[in-house]
Amino acid sequence: MEARLNVFTNPVTAKFGKHLVAAGKVLADSTLPFATQELVKLRASQINGCGFCVDMHTKDAAHAGETATRLNLVAAWREATVFTDAERAALELAEEGTRIADAAGGVPDEVWANAAKYYDEDQLAALVCGIALINAFNRANVMIQQPAGDYQPGQFS
């Protein structure tokens, strides 16, 4: 499988990608736990069918010490006992923020209130920005059919 467009050599996508990566660095420097950031990115990527991002965030999380059990259960987080209440709230916000077109009125107040029980304002801001950012990456990668499987942890650091 080959991508429809080489995002690394095309001047428009390369420049745009650098700005997206820079936005990601702001989130990496936030107080939102790294594990939560990766779980949220993984869940949104699963929903969007972005194989490249599923590959990347699974490998980055594992490289940082995340367990295979938790990574394997992200898609079924509601039934899994391995996530904290805070992580569950973040995963729910990620799902609702990713499936925004499926719900009239967007993210329900109850979902937001649940996340706000566990995260301060800056962490909520990081969650919102992270969910928006991964959805942007997912949509671009799905459109161009970026192949998955060859990513190496930290490849874009």
Side-chain angles (χ1 to χ4, degrees):
M1 176 179 197
E2 278 191 42
R4 292 173 170 161
L5 181 67
N6 187 326
V7 298
F8 305 109
T9 60
N10 177 279
V12 173
T13 57
K15 187 174 182 180
F16 182 74
K18 285 181 184 178
H19 288 289
L20 290 179
V21 169
K25 290 192 186 307
V26 171
L27 301 174
D29 293 340
S30 76
T31 60
L32 184 65
F34 179 78
T36 302
Q37 291 184 43
E38 289 302 309
L39 294 172
V40 163
K41 291 173 193 173
L42 178 56
R43 184 64 190 127
S45 299
Q46 290 170 336
I47 291 167
N48 289 324
C50 182
F52 185 84
C53 289
V54 167
D55 182 40
M56 174 190 289
H57 297 295
T58 299
K59 288 176 179 174
D60 281 347
H63 184 72
E66 189 58 74
T67 68
T69 299
R70 283 170 43 95
L71 292 173
N72 290 331
L73 288 172
V74 168
W77 66 268
R78 292 178 192 276
E79 294 81 26
T81 60
V82 297
F83 302 106
T84 67
D85 289 342
E87 289 168 337
R88 297 167 77 71
L91 288 164
E92 183 177 34
L93 185 61
E95 283 191 1
E96 293 294 330
T98 298
R99 293 183 166 135
I100 205 160
D102 297 343
V107 175
D109 290 338
E110 303 79 40
V111 172
W112 182 265
N114 190 38
K117 289 191 312 192
Y118 303 101
Y119 300 102
D120 65 28
E121 187 173 287
D122 287 348
Q123 291 170 323
L124 285 169
L127 272 171
V128 168
C129 294
I131 293 163
L133 183 61
I134 193 61
N135 274 281
F137 274 119
N138 290 166
R139 280 155 174 75
N141 285 327
V142 169
M143 281 190 277
I144 63 165
Q145 296 181 346
Q146 187 68 32
D150 295 330
Y151 177 78
Q152 297 300 313
Q155 180 176 329
F156 300 120
S157 297

